[in-house]
Amino acid sequence: MIQHDCKIRVWYCDTDQMGIVHHSNYIRYYEEARSDFLRALGLSYAEVERRGLMMPILEVQSKYRRAIRYDEEVTVRIMLKELPSTRINFLYEIYNAEGLLMNTGMTQLGFMHSETRRPCRCPEWFLEILRAEWKEEE
């Protein structure tokens, strides 16, 4: 398992008329956490794409447990619980500053050759980076 925490400040433009984060923005928070996760592994999405790999979203799930409001700082915990093959599943937990669980989610991404736009398996170089950080669950 690999786990990474990403801090995010809720901007005014992320909220609805009630001052609560609009449901669509949770998906953006998941994306920010994925980008931060890759950077923590020494990789960026730009580098992944330079290496000829694209990772399109195939599925998104999100469960809204408590309202997150304007100007709150939240922690998005991203977890990878299994090594990928043709798809990669990221799990998310969003916590407020007091440590309350506010949201849970999942995104499933596929792997695709950037030139041919054809699906492919997870490349070995990507797996090696993940294996170097992998820790068994306790």
Side-chain angles (χ1 to χ4, degrees), residues 3-11 14 28-37 40 68 71-78 92-100:
Q3 178 177 297
H4 177 74
D5 287 353
C6 174
K7 301 272 189 200
I8 295 175
R9 175 74 60 185
V10 175
W11 291 8
D14 292 344
R28 285 187 32 248
Y29 297 165
Y30 299 164
E31 183 172 9
E32 187 171 340
R34 279 195 314 277
S35 293
D36 199 55
F37 170 79
I68 299 174
D71 201 40
E72 280 191 78
E73 183 180 68
V74 296
T75 300
V76 182
R77 177 165 293 150
I78 181 171
Y92 307 89
E93 295 174 345
I94 301 180
Y95 295 90
N96 70 4
E98 289 77 40
L100 288 174

Side-chain angles (χ1 to χ4, degrees), residues 17-18 20 36 38 72 97 100 105:
Q17 190 173 0
M18 297 177 289
I20 295 171
D36 199 55
L38 285 177
E72 280 191 78
L100 288 174

Side-chain angles (χ1 to χ4, degrees), residues 12-23 25 68-69:
Y12 186 78
C13 63
D14 292 344
T15 63
D16 59 18
Q17 190 173 0
M18 297 177 289
I20 295 171
V21 172
H22 189 268
H23 66 274
N25 287 307
I68 299 174
R69 300 183 188 291

Side-chain angles (χ1 to χ4, degrees), residues 45-108:
Y45 264 118
E47 176 60 25
V48 169
E49 290 182 354
R50 277 193 288 276
R51 292 184 184 206
L53 183 66
M54 299 178 96
M55 298 169 62
I57 295 281
L58 303 174
E59 183 179 343
V60 175
Q61 296 174 8
S62 192
K63 184 167 185 173
Y64 311 100
R65 297 173 176 273
R66 292 181 176 88
I68 299 174
R69 300 183 188 291
Y70 167 64
D71 201 40
E72 280 191 78
E73 183 180 68
V74 296
T75 300
V76 182
R77 177 165 293 150
I78 181 171
M79 296 161 285
L80 187 59
K81 292 195 173 191
E82 58 188 20
L83 290 171
S85 57
T86 57
R87 298 172 182 195
I88 187 167
N89 295 315
F90 292 104
L91 304 176
Y92 307 89
E93 295 174 345
I94 301 180
Y95 295 90
N96 70 4
E98 289 77 40
L100 288 174
L101 182 62
M102 309 301 278
N103 174 276
T104 57
M106 183 279 295
T107 56
Q108 182 179 84

